Amino acid sequence: MDIFFGRGKNDLSKRLFREPRLPQRFKEEVFSLLFPGRCPVCDEVLAVGLQICRPCRPFLLRAREPVCMRCGKPLESERVEYCQDCTAGKHLFRQGRAVFLYGGHMKSSLYRFKYHGRQEYARFYASEAAVVWGQWMKSRGIEAVVPIPMYRPKERVRGYNQAKVFARALSITLGIPMLELVRRVRDTVPQKELNHKERKHNLKNAFQLQTDIVKYRRVLLADDIYTTGSTMDAVTEVLLRAGVVDVYFICISIGEGA
C-alpha cells in the first residue's frame, strides 16, 4: 500500500494505527508481519499463533487477588484492603491493576520491550491483561485507553513509547479506542532515582492536554511499571481538570505490596 511505502518499521506501525480507512483486524495482522512474534521470556521466535513458549509461561507470575483495592499491589492477607503506600497517602486515580509481578524474568522482558525494540511483546502483555483483568475493565465502563506519554525528544531517540505500544495492543484486544489525550511537555529525572517526595515535585507541570475538548468520562491509563503512583496521579490530575470523571490504570507489572 502506497501509504506505507518507503517507511521504516517504527514509522510504518505509527502510520498503520493512525490510518482511519483500515479495519482494526487488518491493522493487527499487518502489525504481526512487521513484528514477528518472539517469546517475552526467552526471546526466541515463536511459531505462528503462539505468544509465549509453553515452557516459559510459568516464569512470569501474574498479580492475583488479594490485591490493594486502590493500586492493585498484591497483598499477603485478604483481611487487608490497602497496601502501605495507599494507606499512607491519597491518590487521584480511581483504581488500578497490574498484570504481572515485577522482577526476575519479567524484569528482563520489560527491559527488552523498552530498550531493545521488542514491541511484539505487547501482544502477549495485552492478551494476558484481558485474561486477568478483562472483566474488571469491562465493569468500569472504560471508554478509551490513554498511554502515559513520553517526552517527545526522548521518544524520537528511542523510536517509540513503550506505554503507547502497550496501549495500542490493549485497544485492539479490548475493542476500545486508544487516544493520546495528554503530552509530556518537559523532560524529567527517571522516577526510580527519586524518593516519594522528590517524585511528586519532579512531575509538577510535566503534562498537558493534547486537545481542548475531552468528551470521555472514564478512561484507562496504560503504562509498563507501577511503583508509587506519582506519574499516574500527575496525568490523572490533568484529565480530571479537563472533565474526565473517573481515571483508572493498568500496568504490565507492579512490585509486591505489604
Side-chain angles (χ1 to χ4, degrees):
M1 299 180 66
D2 60 353
I3 59 173
F4 303 129
F5 183 75
R7 300 285 177 174
K9 194 162 70 170
N10 283 332
D11 192 43
L12 276 171
S13 67
K14 293 175 184 177
R15 292 174 64 84
L16 170 69
F17 285 96
R18 290 173 181 168
E19 176 51 53
R21 293 172 291 174
L22 302 177
Q24 284 289 83
R25 180 55 59 183
F26 177 77
K27 293 178 184 181
E28 184 177 5
E29 290 175 357
V30 175
F31 188 80
S32 297
L33 293 174
L34 289 171
F35 302 99
R38 284 181 176 271
C39 175
V41 174
C42 69
D43 199 44
E44 292 295 322
V45 176
L46 293 165
V48 175
L50 294 181
Q51 294 182 334
I52 187 172
C53 297
R54 290 186 178 91
C56 290
R57 181 175 287 276
F59 292 114
L60 299 182
L61 302 178
R62 290 175 176 173
R64 296 182 178 275
E65 299 281 5
V67 298
C68 174
M69 292 181 63
R70 181 67 67 185
C71 74
K73 284 185 179 180
L75 302 173
E76 294 181 359
S77 173
E78 294 181 354
R79 295 192 295 269
V80 178
E81 293 186 342
Y82 300 100
C83 68
Q84 289 182 358
D85 284 344
C86 292
T87 299
K90 182 179 179 181
H91 289 295
L92 297 178
F93 57 79
R94 178 71 66 183
Q95 202 174 41
R97 292 292 182 264
V99 188
F100 297 102
L101 296 181
Y102 185 69
H105 290 279
M106 188 70 246
K107 185 175 181 179
S108 301
S109 180
L110 281 178
Y111 186 85
R112 293 192 299 272
F113 177 56
K114 292 175 66 172
Y115 302 113
H116 288 272
R118 293 295 189 244
Q119 298 184 51
E120 57 268 39
Y121 291 0
R123 292 197 297 274
F124 170 73
Y125 298 150
S127 176
E128 290 294 290
V131 170
V132 180
W133 299 117
Q135 186 56 44
W136 173 80
M137 289 184 278
K138 183 179 180 179
S139 67
R140 267 60 188 174
I142 304 298
E143 298 169 287
V145 182
V146 179
I148 295 295
M150 181 182 288
Y151 189 51
R152 288 291 173 82
K154 185 178 292 185
E155 184 176 344
R156 284 195 292 269
V157 171
R158 184 175 298 179
Y160 61 97
N161 171 8
Q162 71 277 357
K164 190 192 304 183
V165 175
F166 175 50
R168 184 184 297 142
L170 271 176
S171 170
I172 293 171
T173 302
L174 301 174
I176 300 172
M178 185 200 81
L179 301 171
E180 296 179 71
L181 298 179
V182 181
R183 66 177 181 268
R184 190 184 292 252
V185 294
R186 65 179 181 84
D187 200 6
T188 54
V189 177
Q191 292 288 86
K192 62 184 179 181
E193 299 177 7
L194 307 173
N195 60 38
H196 186 72
K197 184 177 180 179
E198 290 171 334
R199 290 181 185 206
K200 287 190 174 182
H201 181 74
N202 184 47
L203 295 170
K204 188 175 180 61
N205 299 321
F207 301 100
Q208 290 181 0
L209 283 178
Q210 287 267 48
T211 176
D212 293 333
I213 300 175
V214 177
K215 63 180 181 179
Y216 299 93
R217 293 171 58 83
R218 295 176 180 84
V219 303
L220 180 74
L221 299 179
D223 204 2
D224 54 342
I225 303 172
Y226 179 92
T227 49
T228 65
S230 297
T231 301
M232 295 297 177
D233 282 329
V235 177
T236 296
E237 184 177 10
V238 172
L239 292 171
L240 293 178
R241 287 203 305 262
V244 176
V245 176
D246 291 318
V247 179
Y248 300 90
F249 77 79
I250 189 160
C251 287
I252 299 169
S253 69
I254 196 168
E256 295 196 54

